[in-house]
Amino acid sequence: MSFDFHLTHTDGGARRGLMTTAHGVVETPAFMPVGTQGAVKGVTHSELDALGAEILLSNTYHLYLRPGDDLIARRGGLHRFIGWTKPILTDSGGYQVFSLSNRRTVDETGAHFRSHLDGSAHSLTPEKAADIQAQLGSDIAMVLDECLAHPATEEVARRSMERTLRWACRARDRFLALRDGLVPGVTVSNRGQAQFGIVQGSVFPRLREESARQTVEIGFEAYAIGGLSVGEPPDVMYDMVSRTTPGLPADRPRYLMGTGTPEDLVESVARGIDLFDCVLPTRNARNGQLFTSTGRINIKNARYAEDDRPIDLSCGCYTCRTCSRAYLRHLFQAGEINSSTLNTLHNLHFYLDTLRQIRDAIAFRRFESFRLAFHQSLSRHSHDS
Ligand SMILES: [Zn+2]
């Protein structure tokens, strides 16, 4: 199967569609759980499958450093190595280089850094990021982009956006050469891999519009919006999404990278986004913070010590069907591994189920009333975190 996308329904700015990849079809709008090391922390692949996850995100930086993309290519690629048969998207590794690595420098060739694991020296160039992802054999590869710190001046943001465009050209050339088998020494583990371009431009509308136009000119299977959810207020992020999506082709999926809260997902779908990933549901689960239809609760709070109710009365997940808040609080306090698993199952179910409700609402052309009810339910109740 080669990469394909078609819209099945639209409702205002919201879109419902089917994204076909080399490892199967994904219903959009979709949320991608993050499996940094080739596993989503706290849950097994079979549990993810049961939750209805259709696509995972995995991190190139981590897999490149350990166990290495060569080793994974020799195992037949990432799908076979980790035992996940459905679609996988890999990031370019850039974000982690910019946020995790030591002694990082960036020049026109790429990013040069030392591993956060053992201090060894590495370079991540647009070509190298494409090569690593070819060896991993993900269904969707991302181009290397420059990740700018927030806030940045417009001048700095422009220079960075322009470099990202030059890197995108190089990444596309390399991707096409890999597809044609013209790069010796690199194993192409998935001949059906697609490559997404990334729109940058910080919080400056004209930079976003220019970046979108020029990234589309290069020509990718689809387009992502990067450099948001980095500390700017939600309204600014929504505005940047609104300014960017009209410049992206309607017949290609649009991926908002690294976002976000449940409210962010609903608001971004309203602005034409189809794909999301975020560590929030999984990371917060391990910290005891649980998402519900009426707001977030923190299970370590003493008020839940003798609370016999489930996390969310309207949730049908395994955790809510079988565990009380009192039990979940006890597991968290005791440092029990099951605490992470049960909390993660609930939070991922909440995210994936919210996307299911969004898709249904779009199909029945009642997305606006869903959106209104969603926000009303959250604001009517008090949050305790
Ligand atoms: Zn639940």
Side-chain angles (χ1 to χ4, degrees), residues 43 62 68 70 79 133 177 210 244 293 305 353-354 357 368 380:
V43 292
H62 290 283
D70 287 328
H79 291 85
Q133 293 177 87
E210 194 177 324
T244 307
S293 53
D353 194 56
T354 297
Q357 291 179 46
E368 270 312 308
R380 253 203 316 269

Side-chain angles (χ1 to χ4, degrees), residues 69-319:
D69 48 306
D70 287 328
L71 182 146
I72 291 173
R74 288 194 296 274
R75 311 268 90 65
L78 190 56
H79 291 85
R80 272 178 68 180
F81 180 58
I82 72 173
W84 173 261
T85 57
K86 293 190 200 176
I88 300 175
L89 180 146
T90 45
D91 61 11
S92 70
Y95 183 80
Q96 276 74 29
V97 168
F98 286 88
S99 59
L100 285 181
S101 65
N102 302 320
R103 282 191 275 161
R104 162 182 54 78
T105 60
V106 185
D107 59 26
E108 189 60 23
T109 61
H112 315 284
F113 63 98
R114 292 197 177 265
S115 162
H116 73 289
L117 297 173
D118 61 9
S120 55
H122 301 269
S123 287
L124 190 65
T125 64
E127 293 82 8
K128 178 80 178 168
D131 292 353
I132 298 169
Q133 293 177 87
Q135 297 223 99
L136 295 176
S138 53
D139 299 287
I140 298 168
M142 302 301 300
V143 298
L144 182 67
D145 58 337
E146 189 173 71
C147 300
L148 192 61
H150 176 82
T153 64
E154 184 162 356
E155 195 193 328
V156 170
R158 168 171 289 283
R159 277 203 302 272
S160 175
M161 181 273 277
E162 289 172 349
R163 171 173 282 166
T164 288
L165 283 169
R166 292 190 297 274
W167 284 5
C169 285
R170 287 166 51 190
R172 189 62 182 175
D173 286 347
R174 185 65 155 215
F175 174 81
L176 295 175
L178 286 160
R179 183 185 270 180
D180 292 340
L182 301 175
V183 184
V186 177
T187 304
V188 178
S189 299
N190 177 358
R191 298 243 156 242
Q193 188 180 62
Q195 187 188 43
F196 286 13
I198 303 176
V199 174
Q200 284 286 354
S202 187
V203 296
F204 305 102
R206 60 182 164 189
L207 296 187
R208 288 275 166 193
E209 287 162 6
E210 194 177 324
S211 175
R213 190 171 59 250
Q214 296 201 47
T215 308
V216 171
E217 268 175 30
I218 297 167
F220 293 94
E221 278 73 29
Y223 301 90
I225 301 175
L228 292 176
S229 276
V230 291
E232 77 285 2
D235 286 350
V236 172
M237 177 174 85
Y238 302 155
D239 187 41
M240 289 306 112
V241 172
S242 299
R243 299 289 196 122
T244 307
T245 47
L248 300 176
D251 63 350
R252 303 293 172 96
R254 301 150 173 179
Y255 164 30
L256 182 59
M257 302 179 76
T259 301
T261 64
E263 298 92 313
D264 290 342
L265 268 49
V266 172
E267 285 309 297
S268 301
V269 166
R271 291 162 173 81
I273 297 295
D274 310 296
L275 279 174
F276 300 93
D277 79 283
C278 192
V279 295
L280 220 52
T282 42
R283 179 181 290 163
N284 289 17
R286 299 193 301 280
N287 295 327
Q289 193 185 67
L290 303 166
F291 292 92
T292 80
S293 53
T294 57
R296 302 178 194 187
I297 70 169
N298 209 317
I299 202 65
K300 59 190 160 201
N301 198 314
R303 78 168 81 163
Y304 302 122
E306 299 196 49
D307 190 334
D308 295 323
R309 294 173 298 171
I311 301 165
D312 188 341
L313 282 165
S314 61
C315 180
C317 84
Y318 171 78
T319 306

Side-chain angles (χ1 to χ4, degrees), residues 314-336:
S314 61
C315 180
C317 84
Y318 171 78
T319 306
C320 287
R321 281 185 282 115
T322 55
C323 303
S324 66
R325 294 176 180 184
Y327 177 51
L328 292 169
R329 177 174 187 273
H330 156 69
L331 292 179
F332 185 90
Q333 294 297 102
E336 167 58 44

Side-chain angles (χ1 to χ4, degrees), residues 27-47:
E27 287 198 73
T28 65
F31 178 79
M32 300 183 275
V34 178
T36 298
Q37 311 275 4
V40 175
K41 289 185 186 2
V43 292
T44 63
H45 294 336
S46 85
E47 286 166 328

